[in-house]
Amino acid sequence: MSEVIRHEIWFFFFSLLSGVILLCAYDQLRVLRRVIPHNGFFQSLEDFFFWTAAGIFCFGVSFRGNSGSIRGFSLAALVFGMWFYHRTVSPWVITCETFVFCTASKKTVFLCRKALKKAWNWVTMKITCKNVSVKRKKQGSE
């Protein structure tokens, strides 16, 4: 097999992997939206910046991997990698990560509330004890 063909095959698989990585990164954005709900404006803004960066990334992959010439099969491999990831792994990734982050955030909120409640009880106890000792001093001096 010639070196040129070997390079083209390598470039095809690199483009395929780049598509998978790109959609995996978008899944992180989708998980963030499930954990922290956004309104339509901010979702659109996030999408705009993500897909702008994704376009630059795709252009860079195609441009650098093929010595400056943009080839159609590399863009097709990117799209196929995205499609394959979306149909196979994406639903599980989103479900599992959402579960982990929601569980972790609920646990964190619970622990913070518990710590704040203990701190509040300690502070109110100190204030109450101080007030009681001041009242006893006033009663003893009268």
Side-chain angles (χ1 to χ4, degrees):
M1 190 178 320
S2 77
E3 190 64 33
V4 174
I5 298 296
R6 219 177 260 154
H7 179 284
E8 296 293 323
I9 291 172
W10 176 86
F11 182 58
F12 178 82
F13 284 115
F14 183 73
S15 296
L16 193 73
L17 181 64
S18 296
V20 168
I21 290 169
L22 197 61
L23 208 57
C24 185
Y26 189 72
D27 276 352
Q28 305 313 306
L29 193 61
R30 292 170 65 190
V31 168
L32 177 71
R33 289 177 182 168
R34 287 187 181 188
V35 174
I36 304 170
H38 296 67
N39 65 15
F41 173 75
F42 288 110
Q43 283 183 0
S44 299
L45 197 62
E46 288 170 352
D47 279 342
F48 173 76
F49 285 119
F50 179 83
W51 289 112
T52 300
I56 293 168
F57 173 75
C58 290
F59 179 76
V61 165
S62 184
F63 190 77
R64 293 193 72 169
N66 216 12
S67 302
S69 65
I70 298 173
R71 305 282 299 265
F73 79 90
S74 66
L75 295 177
L78 274 164
V79 171
F80 182 72
M82 289 180 189
W83 176 83
F84 181 75
Y85 174 82
H86 182 68
R87 291 291 178 197
T88 56
V89 182
S90 181
W92 292 330
V93 168
I94 291 172
T95 303
C96 292
E97 285 185 12
T98 302
F99 174 76
V100 167
F101 285 124
C102 285
T103 304
S105 66
K106 286 178 185 176
K107 193 71 152 171
T108 303
V109 167
F110 172 76
L111 292 175
C112 287
R113 281 185 182 169
K114 191 174 181 181
L116 286 173
K117 187 174 181 181
K118 283 187 178 191
W120 179 254
N121 288 340
W122 183 81
V123 167
T124 55
M125 181 187 71
K126 289 291 185 182
I127 292 171
T128 304
C129 290
K130 197 178 218 182
N131 289 340
V132 168
S133 68
V134 169
K135 285 182 183 178
R136 284 186 184 164
K137 285 183 184 178
K138 283 184 180 179
Q139 288 176 354
S141 65
E142 290 177 0

